[in-house]
Amino acid sequence: MTTTSVPGEPPATRMSDEAYGALRASAALWAGTSVMITNQLGQVLVQHVDYRDACLLPGGAIDRGESPAASATRELMEELGTTAPVVQCLAVDWVSPDSAGAPAAMRFPGEILHVFDGGTWDDARIGEIRLPPSEITAIEFVEPARLRGLLSPPDARRALSALRARLNSGGTVVLENGHPIAPTVLDRLGVLQTARPTYHYPWHPGPAPHDLTVKQVWAWLFAPDGRVMVLLDPHTGVAILPGGTPEKHDQDDPVATLRREAEEEAAARFGIPLLLGHVTDATQRRGYLRYAAALTDIAPARPDPATGHTYTRILATPEQAKDLFDWGPAAADQLAAVQQARRQLGLPQAPRQPVTQLIGPATW
């Protein structure tokens, strides 16, 4: 084998197997795995452990001769008392020797960490978890925005990058110290590191009762490929659907509110809308209407006069869009209504795919 043993040396030295092996061993890294598991509300499973203050995702060190996927499967059994198919790798992170704050005595050489997708667990599956007698003291499912307060900074960066990779459905991402080397629009805006909008209200199909004050009117606006427009705050990455609060000059017409807000926030226009239903805050007698419509055209993005923000517009599948909000158990019912409206509009069901930023102008 021809290689060099000293940086800058011309590649003409033929090394013995022993010398080559020693050179590679001197550059060895640690290797580990972790597993991203969520519940049906989009919350992430974290573990409280007895040997450090910060929480961890399930996982651990890869044993000698063990593959990363096999290590992840073993760690799930050891730490949670259950198994899960571990076939999709969300992220591979190169952790540099000087980034982890490891004590000098540890002689930390750097690490390669694989983050696998453990899937979405329902209540029955979560009920099967059995913790070991030591090491794992408790588990909880937490909102993604809480990860930065519960995990160490490097672990939180890695977990959020992996979670965004799962949402984006663009395949395995390569990280350096938790940062993607090819960041997507979701990474650039820090999506999910700020609390998701929360509306834990029941879903009702059809029009709102007359005695209910309409607080907001939002729409699922479909592109021809069956994806929907979502607006992302440029400063926080927080998602909103096009729409907003009724104003006096809308003359109590929710569709007028919707058209005005879509124009102001997203520079978007749409065809005849379908009323899907509403969610209600019964304590305040307030309703939040939901419509669906087909986009007809968009102009270049411009500042929203109400906030001064120029929202980043993306196209996402309805399922991806749902994951950007914390709507509680009623989210599934609203999503079913959205898909029914899509069929009524004669649009295809979009396969899960990477989100696309809308620049404009465009006409459909």
Side-chain angles (χ1 to χ4, degrees):
M1 176 175 292
T2 301
T3 185
T4 60
S5 57
V6 178
E9 180 181 331
T13 303
R14 182 171 294 277
M15 300 179 67
S16 67
D17 290 345
E18 291 80 3
Y20 181 68
L23 177 63
R24 293 296 297 268
S26 69
L29 297 173
W30 292 354
T33 62
S34 59
V35 183
M36 175 69 62
I37 297 168
T38 55
N39 62 14
Q40 293 178 307
L41 301 179
Q43 298 169 326
V44 179
L45 186 152
V46 299
Q47 299 179 153
H48 297 261
V49 297
D50 60 12
Y51 54 89
R52 61 187 296 179
D53 294 332
C55 295
L56 297 169
L57 297 183
I62 298 174
D63 289 344
R64 181 183 294 273
E66 186 178 43
S67 75
S71 173
T73 300
R74 173 182 54 77
E75 290 285 351
L76 285 180
M77 176 55 71
E78 292 177 358
E79 297 181 346
L80 300 180
T82 186
T83 59
V86 178
V87 294
Q88 176 62 48
C89 185
L90 296 174
V92 178
D93 190 14
W94 176 77
V95 182
S96 63
D98 59 350
S99 69
M106 188 180 287
R107 296 182 295 174
F108 177 60
E111 189 169 16
I112 295 291
L113 282 164
H114 302 73
V115 185
F116 287 94
D117 190 351
T120 299
W121 291 17
D122 59 20
D123 290 343
R125 186 70 182 280
I126 295 170
E128 295 174 355
I129 293 174
R130 297 293 181 269
L131 301 184
S134 62
E135 184 180 349
I136 313 300
T137 59
I139 63 162
E140 63 175 319
F141 284 87
V142 303
E143 275 294 302
R146 291 188 59 201
L147 293 175
R148 292 198 298 173
L150 292 172
L151 277 60
S152 70
D155 287 352
R157 286 196 303 271
R158 183 182 314 111
L160 284 167
S161 292
L163 193 57
R164 287 191 285 264
R166 182 212 259 192
L167 190 154
N168 191 52
S169 300
T172 306
V173 296
V174 178
L175 312 176
E176 292 183 356
N177 295 320
H179 300 287
I181 64 172
T184 67
V185 62
L186 303 181
D187 297 309
R188 293 195 301 271
L189 297 182
V191 168
L192 298 179
Q193 70 183 25
T194 300
R196 300 183 296 170
T198 301
Y199 292 91
H200 286 189
Y201 303 141
W203 170 256
H204 306 280
H210 295 298
D211 62 342
L212 199 68
T213 301
V214 175
K215 182 68 175 177
Q216 289 180 321
V217 185
W218 290 344
W220 295 78
L221 298 182
F222 282 92
D225 66 357
R227 292 187 292 171
V228 294
M229 174 188 284
V230 179
L231 310 181
L232 301 177
D233 187 289
H235 306 295
T236 64
V238 169
I240 63 171
L241 293 176
T245 304
E247 295 181 1
K248 185 176 181 179
H249 54 268
D250 296 331
Q251 298 183 338
D252 294 324
D253 180 357
V255 174
T257 297
L258 194 55
R259 292 194 184 279
R260 174 182 53 77
E261 289 283 359
E263 178 73 33
E264 292 176 353
E265 293 176 339
R269 299 182 182 90
F270 53 87
I272 298 174
L274 302 174
L275 176 62
L276 301 182
H278 59 284
V279 296
T280 56
D281 178 359
T283 62
Q284 302 291 328
R285 296 300 299 163
R286 291 176 176 176
Y288 303 82
L289 303 186
R290 300 288 185 268
Y291 284 82
L295 285 164
T296 57
D297 62 276
I298 61 167
R302 54 180 179 264
D304 175 15
T307 64
H309 297 171
T310 301
Y311 290 103
T312 298
R313 302 169 297 184
I314 63 170
L315 287 181
T317 67
E319 291 77 14
Q320 287 169 313
K322 176 185 71 67
D323 290 342
L324 293 170
F325 299 92
D326 178 17
W327 286 340
D333 295 330
Q334 185 173 169
L335 186 62
V338 170
Q339 293 293 7
Q340 181 179 358
R342 174 191 56 77
R343 291 188 289 269
Q344 288 180 255
L345 293 168
L347 298 172
Q349 182 169 2
R352 200 166 179 101
Q353 59 192 285
V355 303
T356 302
Q357 184 173 356
L358 281 171
I359 304 299
T363 301
W364 295 284

